[in-house]
Amino acid sequence: MGRVTVRRAVERVSPSGRSRRVDALAAEEPLELRVNGKSLAVTMRTPGQDVELAHGFLLSEGVIGSSEDISIARFCEGTGPDGMNTYNVLDIALAEGVPPPDIGVERNFYTTSSCGVCGKAALDAVKLKTRYSPALDPVQVTPESLTGFPDALRERQKVFESTGGLHAAGLFVNDELLVVREDVGRHNAVDKVLGWAVLQNLVPLRGAVLMVSGRASFELVQKAAMAGIPVLAAVSAPSSLAVELAEEQGMTLVGFLRGDSMNIYTGGERVLETA
């Protein structure tokens, strides 16, 4: 798995005593994202699918709307103590005619792996206007389909299986799991999924369900809305602001999706009655 995991010796304590063992840890490294050579953000992420992460991030920030808005993505030179390229600086060149990020929404700051919207330059820049409103998406999904999504997502969480320390996001269309991405940051996992969709020319994601392994936060609802996703489902709880934003955007928000039950917070008309 390359730098996705790191092996480290640990001391295990149990009722039977202490023992030494080697444990697999989820890798966490900084990624500096530059746009047209100018630093835009630094985020802590699990290395891998960085180009997808950048595309998804720029989509969810309203900078791009499709893959055609980016001319090239390239890693900049930067070496670690071993003299090897760290691949921790990625420069995105926007296509001709695509305006750079507005200074009012720039995120020139350090972002932890748990933070998605902290550091915005202005409070009114937190809420972004999507070009792909999910409000009129007529997709419907059965409770039986929804309750099967967490297990389908879990089966594809390969790195979580070995580390137990990653969030995951998966994209379902017509009950088919199209892609799964894992990351130490829940917002990064979603950005990687959205970036994959951008590169596959699938945005706007009409008829899609975004499934996340943790809670449904405000920033995840916003990212889904920016990609035109009509349904967001989470195995844990949503926040109050996440529910408010989902309602405002005309999205269906499902939380506590566990076993054969769930809570529907908004957009219940998209979830069909159980047969």
Side-chain angles (χ1 to χ4, degrees), residues 5-192:
T5 60
V6 176
R7 299 182 67 80
R8 185 177 179 87
V10 300
E11 187 174 8
R12 180 171 178 79
V13 179
S14 67
S16 60
R18 293 175 179 247
S19 60
R20 301 284 295 181
R21 55 174 288 185
V22 176
D23 197 17
L25 306 178
E28 183 176 28
E29 295 183 11
L31 175 69
E32 179 185 353
L33 177 61
R34 299 176 183 176
V35 174
N36 295 339
K38 182 180 179 181
S39 182
L40 180 66
V42 177
T43 186
M44 299 302 295
R45 96 303 189 194
T46 299
Q49 295 97 31
D50 291 329
V51 173
E52 291 179 354
L53 191 159
H55 279 71
F57 177 87
L58 294 176
L59 173 72
S60 65
E61 289 294 313
V63 178
I64 67 170
S66 71
S67 60
E68 295 180 353
D69 291 337
I70 292 179
S71 63
I72 191 171
R74 57 192 173 193
F75 286 97
C76 303
E77 291 185 4
T79 58
D82 58 1
M84 302 295 289
N85 194 324
T86 61
Y87 295 99
N88 284 338
V89 181
L90 182 64
D91 190 13
I92 300 294
L94 298 177
E96 185 176 355
V98 177
D102 191 312
I103 189 65
V105 297
E106 281 188 358
R107 297 168 68 174
N108 290 316
F109 61 92
Y110 168 81
T111 311
T112 70
S113 56
S114 62
C115 178
V117 297
C118 53
K120 284 284 191 176
L123 289 177
D124 58 0
V126 171
K127 281 191 176 182
L128 301 175
K129 182 176 177 60
T130 177
R131 64 184 81 185
Y132 304 123
S133 174
L136 299 180
D137 194 316
V139 68
Q140 292 184 308
V141 61
T142 66
E144 292 79 9
S145 292
L146 284 170
T147 55
F149 290 170
D151 286 342
L153 180 66
R154 180 70 178 80
E155 289 174 1
R156 295 270 295 273
Q157 291 180 244
K158 302 302 183 184
V159 184
F160 180 88
E161 189 69 31
S162 62
T163 66
L166 289 180
H167 296 282
L171 192 65
F172 292 83
V173 175
N174 295 325
D175 294 350
E176 179 185 357
L177 179 53
L178 300 184
V179 63
V180 172
R181 292 292 182 260
E182 297 178 275
D183 200 278
V184 288
R186 61 173 59 89
H187 62 287
N188 288 337
V190 170
D191 279 341
K192 289 179 179 181

Side-chain angles (χ1 to χ4, degrees), residues 207-227:
V209 178
L210 178 64
M211 179 77 218
V212 295
S213 62
R215 63 185 179 88
S217 59
F218 165 85
E219 68 265 26
L220 298 194
V221 173
Q222 179 163 275
K223 287 177 182 296
M226 295 298 284

Side-chain angles (χ1 to χ4, degrees), residues 239-251:
S239 68
S240 61
L241 195 56
V243 174
E244 292 176 17
L245 183 60
E247 186 171 49
E248 179 182 307
Q249 293 290 345
M251 292 173 57

